[in-house]
Protein backbone atom coordinates (compact mmCIF):
# COMPACT_ATOMS: atom_id res chain seq x y z
CA UNK A 1 0.00 0.00 0.00
CA UNK A 2 2.85 2.39 0.85
CA UNK A 3 4.45 1.75 -2.55
CA UNK A 4 1.16 2.53 -4.25
CA UNK A 5 0.88 5.87 -2.41
CA UNK A 6 4.47 6.80 -3.24
CA UNK A 7 3.83 5.93 -6.89
CA UNK A 8 0.62 7.99 -6.90
CA UNK A 9 2.36 11.05 -5.45
CA UNK A 10 5.16 10.60 -7.98
CA UNK A 11 2.67 10.62 -10.88
CA UNK A 12 0.88 13.68 -9.50
CA UNK A 13 4.15 15.60 -9.14
CA UNK A 14 5.16 14.73 -12.74
CA UNK A 15 1.77 15.87 -14.00
CA UNK A 16 1.95 19.17 -12.10
CA UNK A 17 5.46 19.92 -13.32
CA UNK A 18 4.46 19.13 -16.93
CA UNK A 19 1.64 21.64 -17.04
CA UNK A 20 2.05 24.36 -19.62
CA UNK A 21 1.15 28.02 -19.45
CA UNK A 22 -2.02 29.84 -20.26
CA UNK A 23 -4.29 29.62 -23.27
CA UNK A 24 -5.39 32.87 -24.91
CA UNK A 25 -7.63 33.84 -27.81
CA UNK A 26 -7.65 36.63 -30.40
CA UNK A 27 -10.74 37.41 -32.49
CA UNK A 28 -11.65 40.13 -34.97
CA UNK A 29 -14.51 41.21 -32.68
CA UNK A 30 -12.34 41.12 -29.54
CA UNK A 31 -10.99 43.95 -27.38
CA UNK A 32 -7.40 44.31 -26.19
CA UNK A 33 -8.74 45.31 -22.75
CA UNK A 34 -10.28 41.83 -22.42
CA UNK A 35 -8.48 39.04 -20.53
CA UNK A 36 -7.89 37.03 -23.74
CA UNK A 37 -10.29 34.20 -22.89
CA UNK A 38 -12.47 32.33 -25.38
CA UNK A 39 -15.53 34.42 -24.45
CA UNK A 40 -13.53 37.67 -24.05
CA UNK A 41 -10.74 37.53 -26.65
CA UNK A 42 -8.14 40.13 -27.52
CA UNK A 43 -8.50 42.04 -30.77
CA UNK A 44 -4.95 42.36 -32.09
CA UNK A 45 -1.92 40.29 -32.85
CA UNK A 46 0.22 42.94 -31.10
CA UNK A 47 -1.59 42.29 -27.82
CA UNK A 48 -0.91 38.56 -28.19
CA UNK A 49 2.79 39.07 -28.97
CA UNK A 50 3.21 41.54 -26.09
CA UNK A 51 1.44 39.35 -23.53
CA UNK A 52 2.12 35.67 -24.25
CA UNK A 53 4.93 34.14 -22.23
CA UNK A 54 6.91 30.89 -22.33
CA UNK A 55 4.56 27.91 -22.28
CA UNK A 56 1.50 29.89 -23.42
CA UNK A 57 -0.66 29.11 -26.44
CA UNK A 58 -2.47 31.83 -28.38
CA UNK A 59 -5.27 30.84 -30.75
CA UNK A 60 -6.22 33.23 -33.54
CA UNK A 61 -9.86 32.88 -34.54
CA UNK A 62 -10.67 32.99 -38.25
CA UNK A 63 -11.11 36.32 -40.02
CA UNK A 64 -9.13 39.21 -41.46
CA UNK A 65 -7.05 41.23 -39.00
CA UNK A 66 -6.05 44.63 -40.36
CA UNK A 67 -2.73 45.95 -39.11
CA UNK A 68 -2.37 49.72 -38.79
CA UNK A 69 1.21 49.61 -37.54
CA UNK A 70 4.18 47.29 -37.63
CA UNK A 71 4.12 44.19 -35.47
CA UNK A 72 7.28 43.76 -33.48
CA UNK A 73 8.57 41.34 -30.88
CA UNK A 74 11.80 42.42 -29.18
CA UNK A 75 11.98 40.49 -25.89
CA UNK A 76 15.46 41.75 -25.04
CA UNK A 77 14.29 45.34 -25.42
CA UNK A 78 11.23 44.88 -23.22
CA UNK A 79 8.50 44.25 -25.81
CA UNK A 80 7.17 40.73 -26.03
CA UNK A 81 8.51 37.53 -24.53
CA UNK A 82 10.63 34.59 -25.60
CA UNK A 83 9.77 30.94 -25.28
CA UNK A 84 12.33 28.20 -24.82
CA UNK A 85 12.98 24.91 -26.56
CA UNK A 86 11.19 23.02 -23.80
CA UNK A 87 8.56 25.72 -23.19
CA UNK A 88 7.74 27.50 -26.49
CA UNK A 89 5.11 30.13 -27.09
CA UNK A 90 2.64 28.67 -29.58
CA UNK A 91 0.70 30.92 -31.97
CA UNK A 92 -1.89 28.91 -33.88
CA UNK A 93 -5.06 29.22 -35.88
CA UNK A 94 -8.02 28.03 -33.83
CA UNK A 95 -8.50 24.38 -34.96
CA UNK A 96 -12.33 24.36 -35.25
CA UNK A 97 -12.18 27.53 -37.38
CA UNK A 98 -9.44 26.05 -39.60
CA UNK A 99 -11.44 22.84 -40.06
CA UNK A 100 -14.39 24.97 -41.21
CA UNK A 101 -12.16 26.76 -43.75
CA UNK A 102 -12.08 30.03 -41.76
CA UNK A 103 -8.41 31.02 -41.49
CA UNK A 104 -6.85 33.94 -39.59
CA UNK A 105 -5.35 36.42 -42.08
CA UNK A 106 -3.05 39.30 -41.11
CA UNK A 107 -3.55 42.08 -43.68
CA UNK A 108 -0.71 44.61 -43.51
CA UNK A 109 -1.61 46.61 -46.64
CA UNK A 110 -2.79 49.61 -44.60
CA UNK A 111 0.73 50.41 -43.39
CA UNK A 112 2.92 49.02 -46.17
CA UNK A 113 4.56 51.32 -48.72
Amino acid sequence: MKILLVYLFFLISINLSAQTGGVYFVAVDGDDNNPGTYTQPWATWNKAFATADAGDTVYFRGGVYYSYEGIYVYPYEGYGHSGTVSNPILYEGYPPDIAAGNFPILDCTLHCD
Side-chain angles (χ1 to χ4, degrees):
M1 181 68 174
K2 287 182 184 179
I3 293 176
L4 180 61
L5 287 175
V6 170
Y7 183 70
L8 180 62
F9 285 119
F10 178 73
L11 288 177
I12 291 171
S13 67
I14 289 174
N15 187 34
L16 291 176
S17 66
Q19 288 181 344
T20 59
V23 175
Y24 301 102
F25 294 86
V26 181
V28 293
D29 60 350
D31 184 328
D32 282 348
N33 292 317
N34 285 343
T37 62
Y38 179 81
T39 57
Q40 294 181 303
W42 296 322
T44 66
W45 294 45
N46 270 343
K47 177 68 175 181
F49 294 149
T51 306
D53 209 349
D56 291 346
T57 300
V58 179
Y59 288 111
F60 295 94
R61 300 294 312 258
V64 179
Y65 296 83
Y66 295 97
S67 175
Y68 300 97
E69 60 188 37
I71 295 176
Y72 305 99
V73 178
Y74 297 115
Y76 300 107
E77 295 180 16
Y79 187 79
H81 302 104
S82 289
T84 64
V85 171
S86 61
N87 226 6
I89 301 172
L90 302 176
Y91 298 102
E92 301 180 1
Y94 187 58
D97 289 358
I98 300 295
N102 192 11
F103 300 91
I105 299 169
L106 179 58
D107 184 338
C108 298
T109 58
L110 297 175
H111 70 85
C112 296
D113 294 330

